[in-house]
Amino acid sequence: MSFAHLLSILLLASSTLAKTVTYDFSVTWTKGNPDGQYERKVIGINGQWPIPQIDVDLGDRLVINFHNGLPDQDSSLHFHGLFQNGTTFMDGPAMVSQCPVPPGMNITYDFIVDQPGTYWYHSHVKGQYPDGIRGAFIVHDPQGPYKNSYDAEIILTLSDWYHEQMPVLAKRFISYLNPTGAEPVPQSALMNDSQNITLAVKPGKTYMVRMVNMAAFAAQYVWFEEHTMKVIEIDGIYTEPMDADMLYLTAAQRVSVLITTKNDTSKNYAFMGSMDQDLFDKVPDGLNPNVTGWLSYNSNAPLPAALPVPEFKPLDDMLLIPYSRIPLLPPADLTVTLNVTMSNLGDGANYAFFNGLTYVRPQVPTLFTALSVGDAATNPLVYGRDTVPHILPHMQIIDIVVNNQDPGKHPFHLHGHVFQTIFRSSDDAGNFEGHLESEYPKVPMIRDTILAPPGGHVVLRFRADNPGVWLFHCHLEWHLLSGLVTTFIEAPMELQRNTTIPENHRALCVKRGILMEGNAVGRKGKDVLDLRGENRSPDPLPEGFTARGIVALAGSTVTAILGMGAVVWYGGAQVPGEI
Ligand SMILES: *[C@@H]1O[C@H](CO)[C@@H](O)[C@H](O)[C@H]1NC(C)=O
Ligand SMILES: *[C@@H]1O[C@H](CO)[C@@H](O)[C@H](O)[C@H]1NC(C)=O
Ligand SMILES: *[C@@H]1O[C@H](CO)[C@@H](O)[C@H](O)[C@H]1NC(C)=O
Ligand SMILES: *[C@@H]1O[C@H](CO)[C@@H](O)[C@H](O)[C@H]1NC(C)=O
Ligand SMILES: *[C@@H]1O[C@H](CO)[C@@H](O)[C@H](O)[C@H]1NC(C)=O
Ligand SMILES: *[C@@H]1O[C@H](CO)[C@@H](O)[C@H](O)[C@H]1NC(C)=O
Ligand SMILES: *[C@@H]1O[C@H](CO)[C@@H](O)[C@H](O)[C@H]1NC(C)=O
Ligand SMILES: *[C@@H]1O[C@H](CO)[C@@H](O)[C@H](O)[C@H]1NC(C)=O
Ligand SMILES: [Cu+2]
């Protein structure tokens, strides 16, 4: 088929089927008590919490009229996993591709959805989403390869839950009083923002269960007692079917499975989620990491207690093969190596680093810089040291090598793309030292969020075919706050050629007095490489100080460090955590 022919078919298909789906979302405080232990303020939409699920069909145009009705916090929306091809300004992270939405202001998100599958949406400002503004986003695909393989779809969200609000937890987390950087541990695990849910099923049917882990922090093991799951999609990518008894979903990952029900309706069956406690520095006494639900065949039969499993043996996602069978991309034109470390800065708090840099937001959103500095847009310096910028030239093949030099597990997410996961080491394998191309899988697994093994490495490959400004970051909300973020400025010259920021997006910057042109501090022309006054992370600790040393410090020394932190502070440094 010729390209023109294909195009005409696509146009015909889109003109007959595609529709515009509009949501009016007003974000406000409301109340919630999903674990039944504690009622608290939560961020809802249109007075509801849990917030609505977004449902569109492949090819639809989505319009969200978003109003920030919170009196006291900025907000924004990110649509996790959507490429925003041609609409990078709709991606959502504050000070990256837009200004934050101040209280009382509106923004319109308006884009075409041309990827099928299971996604989610959440705020991308100041670690806000765990306070409630996170929901499933489903792109139905009437022509999908498994369309005849199931009778009904079920959406099952997983998450973790804190009784305290994020601003309080964040302040305690990034503090000289928490020098080891111990992350707050959630109080509960949730399913569908609830617990003990029952799911009425009919005998002898096949259900497509779409699972989304919307957690702030906790990965979950998931299993359905006495029912096999057949994996058919991960992160919006159809896979060849693969059976699994147990799955592992990091924060931000999605998996769709087919589950065929039994013919016998005499019994009900538990399904379980269990938080991966390896992530928790210290497991609080009495923490229940588990959440249970039931496949209900018979409302008169009891709901049996879940059986303990002796060990967690989830499916290795590296084994999954994309249904499209897209072969290994050619060898990389550009390799971006990112060493992950954690350590303390001069304010005594613990931060996370890519190659020794911890992310701090710029004074001009990075996209606005890329669009306004002419040829200088290809020079990473203009974006500011602590946006951790990397320029990706148009259409090049990029390898991202993540050397996780930290003993923790980190789920990394790339905006604007999916990637081939061409290698993942075992735990504690050390840094990547290169491989022969022939050692990579011929048809690598593809997804948008990947777990980097503790002390090991992962190698990701994609083509820079989507001009835009895209973050690559750890999706543990704590590590986003502590700076484990890098900014990819992809094909800035191509971006300049054809990007117009909508007026209602610009109005947010005007309202806040945020500059919309120039380098990271707003300088242009001959001064475009002058970054004086840029936002920076706190200075390093003086020689000889270590995290352990800080833990052992007595009051007077802490005061000394605090004083030093204050000097840095008034010197213009900014705390991370704006995205
Ligand atoms: C779910 O059931 C468990 C076990 O009975 C109970 O401890 C928990 O409070 C229940 N959760 C909710 C939200 O009712
Ligand atoms: C902003 O959104 C609110 C709530 O949806 C709406 O009532 C208001 O008219 C919108 N304002 C503008 C300027 O569009
Ligand atoms: C979870 O909530 C969605 C709606 O948001 C609903 O369609 C689904 O049936 C629920 N799943 C379960 C297992 O209750
Ligand atoms: C359920 O019944 C159908 C039709 O009789 C049969 O084809 C199928 O194998 C049965 N399934 C199971 C799990 O026994
Ligand atoms: C949670 O589930 C796991 C796996 O079945 C089990 O080993 C553990 O004892 C459970 N924990 C609690 C507190 O029930
Ligand atoms: C990453 O760390 C290794 C050894 O720790 C070092 O050799 C390498 O230069 C580092 N890479 C970057 C990009 O900093
Ligand atoms: C973006 O669109 C261009 C032009 O249609 C296409 O070549 C490219 O593959 C797309 N990239 C992504 C990531 O969807
Ligand atoms: C610019 O973008 C618009 C809208 O996405 C598209 O219709 C148009 O073809 C693009 N023009 C160029 C020169 O790429
Ligand atoms: Cu992390």
Side-chain angles (χ1 to χ4, degrees):
M1 190 181 325
S2 73
F3 180 70
H5 187 189
L6 181 68
L7 197 68
S8 63
I9 290 178
L10 287 176
L11 286 176
L12 184 69
S14 60
S15 63
T16 50
L17 298 174
K19 59 185 187 299
T20 300
V21 177
T22 305
Y23 290 90
D24 294 325
F25 281 171
S26 175
V27 176
T28 53
W29 287 110
T30 175
K31 292 212 156 125
N33 185 5
D35 63 3
Q37 295 176 31
Y38 183 78
E39 186 177 67
R40 50 156 287 180
K41 277 172 73 179
V42 298
I43 301 176
I45 288 183
N46 302 338
Q48 287 175 31
W49 189 84
I51 65 172
Q53 178 178 312
I54 295 178
D55 283 287
V56 298
D57 289 320
L58 185 62
D60 285 350
R61 171 178 172 195
L62 176 65
V63 178
I64 296 180
N65 298 310
F66 180 88
H67 171 70
N68 182 7
L70 299 171
D72 52 348
Q73 291 190 14
D74 292 346
S75 198
S76 84
L77 288 185
H78 167 61
F79 307 90
H80 183 115
L82 296 187
F83 299 152
Q84 300 293 4
N85 198 344
T87 48
T88 184
F89 42 86
M90 298 295 178
D91 195 44
M95 297 311 288
V96 180
S97 49
Q98 65 167 81
C99 288
V101 186
M105 295 289 286
N106 295 10
I107 187 172
T108 301
Y109 294 102
D110 180 349
F111 52 90
I112 307 286
V113 182
D114 55 6
Q115 301 159 252
T118 311
Y119 302 89
W120 61 301
Y121 72 108
H122 61 82
S123 161
H124 221 303
V125 174
K126 289 192 176 174
Q128 186 177 59
Y129 78 73
D131 279 338
I133 179 167
R134 53 181 175 190
F137 182 135
I138 309 300
V139 187
H140 301 276
D141 181 3
Q143 308 301 324
Y146 293 102
K147 64 176 190 294
N148 296 324
S149 307
Y150 56 89
D151 301 291
E153 278 185 31
I154 293 166
I155 287 77
L156 182 62
T157 68
L158 308 169
S159 56
D160 49 8
W161 192 245
Y162 291 89
H163 290 168
E164 285 182 284
Q165 290 183 32
M166 286 304 282
V168 176
L169 293 168
K171 199 168 164 200
R172 202 180 300 150
F173 170 58
I174 300 179
S175 161
Y176 72 96
L177 294 171
N178 181 30
T180 61
E183 297 84 5
V185 175
Q187 271 72 37
S188 305
L190 304 179
M191 278 177 176
N192 263 19
D193 290 309
S194 181
Q195 292 180 331
N196 308 319
I197 59 176
T198 54
L199 181 56
V201 291
K202 297 202 173 78
K205 300 274 185 220
T206 299
Y207 293 87
M208 177 186 188
V209 183
R210 299 177 180 269
M211 290 180 253
V212 187
N213 187 353
M214 315 189 298
F217 187 31
Q220 284 195 38
Y221 298 94
V222 183
W223 64 99
F224 288 76
E225 290 186 359
E226 293 183 49
H227 291 72
T228 301
M229 297 177 276
K230 194 181 284 299
V231 175
I232 55 166
E233 180 219 331
I234 48 169
D235 297 357
I237 302 295
Y238 290 118
T239 65
E240 301 213 328
M242 184 169 286
D243 284 352
D245 291 324
M246 184 182 280
L247 297 171
Y248 183 85
L249 281 86
T250 73
Q253 287 184 331
R254 292 89 64 207
V255 183
S256 290
V257 300
L258 299 180
I259 293 179
T260 299
T261 52
K262 298 178 186 300
N263 288 337
D264 172 6
T265 59
S266 62
K267 277 177 69 185
N268 299 318
Y269 296 86
F271 52 93
M272 280 266 278
S274 187
M275 297 191 289
D276 178 3
Q277 299 185 76
D278 286 0
L279 291 159
F280 306 157
D281 280 11
K282 187 172 181 299
V283 180
D285 288 343
L287 175 75
N288 181 0
N290 301 331
V291 55
T292 309
W294 286 272
L295 292 178
S296 169
Y297 285 78
N298 180 343
S299 55
N300 296 319
L303 300 175
L307 302 169
V309 296
E311 64 176 324
F312 296 118
K313 276 205 209 151
L315 177 74
D316 177 1
D317 59 344
M318 288 296 287
L319 300 173
L320 292 164
I321 296 168
Y323 185 86
S324 62
R325 293 200 151 254
I326 293 174
L328 177 68
L329 288 166
D333 301 301
L334 174 69
T335 298
V336 178
T337 299
L338 300 169
N339 288 349
V340 176
T341 54
M342 303 263 170
S343 135
N344 299 74
L345 289 176
D347 61 354
N350 194 278
Y351 292 89
F353 303 83
F354 277 136
N355 299 339
L357 295 173
T358 188
Y359 182 92
V360 182
R361 65 178 165 78
Q363 287 157 43
V364 176
T366 302
L367 173 63
F368 293 53
T369 295
L371 293 176
S372 63
V373 297
D375 292 345
T378 58
N379 184 342
L381 292 178
V382 302
Y383 302 101
R385 184 194 72 177
D386 289 351
T387 64
V388 198
H390 292 272
I391 311 292
L392 308 182
H394 194 214
M395 295 311 278
Q396 289 203 350
I397 302 290
I398 313 296
D399 275 3
I400 305 177
V401 174
V402 180
N403 290 320
N404 181 9
Q405 299 173 350
D406 180 70
K409 297 173 178 171
H410 301 274
F412 286 101
H413 168 49
L414 176 60
H415 290 221
H417 291 274
V418 285
F419 43 73
Q420 293 184 331
T421 306
I422 63 176
F423 190 77
R424 177 163 59 195
S425 79
S426 54
D427 293 359
D428 302 314
N431 293 335
F432 179 66
E433 283 171 358
H435 273 291
L436 295 174
E437 283 294 313
S438 58
E439 290 175 358
Y440 293 129
K442 304 261 176 308
V443 181
M445 184 270 277
I446 299 177
R447 65 187 317 168
D448 66 34
T449 305
I450 186 80
L451 186 75
H457 53 268
V458 62
V459 186
L460 315 175
R461 181 171 290 181
F462 63 99
R463 188 187 300 276
D465 61 1
N466 187 11
V469 173
W470 311 116
L471 294 182
F472 179 75
H473 64 91
C474 177
H475 220 293
L476 305 184
E477 203 62 352
W478 305 115
H479 299 166
L480 190 75
L481 289 168
S482 65
L484 200 46
V485 182
T486 177
T487 311
F488 290 141
I489 299 97
E490 177 174 333
M493 301 320 287
E494 285 70 18
L495 195 59
Q496 285 180 8
R497 228 166 273 150
N498 195 12
T499 307
T500 309
I501 305 285
E503 202 45 52
N504 69 80
H505 289 226
R506 299 174 67 87
L508 305 177
C509 308
V510 172
K511 173 83 176 181
R512 263 296 153 73
I514 296 172
L515 298 173
M516 288 181 279
E517 292 189 341
N519 66 17
V521 294
R523 292 196 189 93
K524 293 176 69 174
K526 64 177 180 18
D527 295 327
V528 76
L529 295 181
D530 180 354
L531 273 295
R532 273 175 303 163
E534 69 175 319
N535 292 346
R536 288 225 168 164
S537 59
D539 284 342
L541 274 176
E543 280 305 304
F545 279 85
T546 62
R548 274 174 206 285
I550 296 169
V551 183
L553 283 180
S556 60
T557 332
V558 170
T559 315
I561 290 191
L562 249 190
M564 196 175 62
V567 172
V568 175
W569 188 275
Y570 293 118
Q574 304 285 327
V575 275
E578 287 294 318
I579 48 172

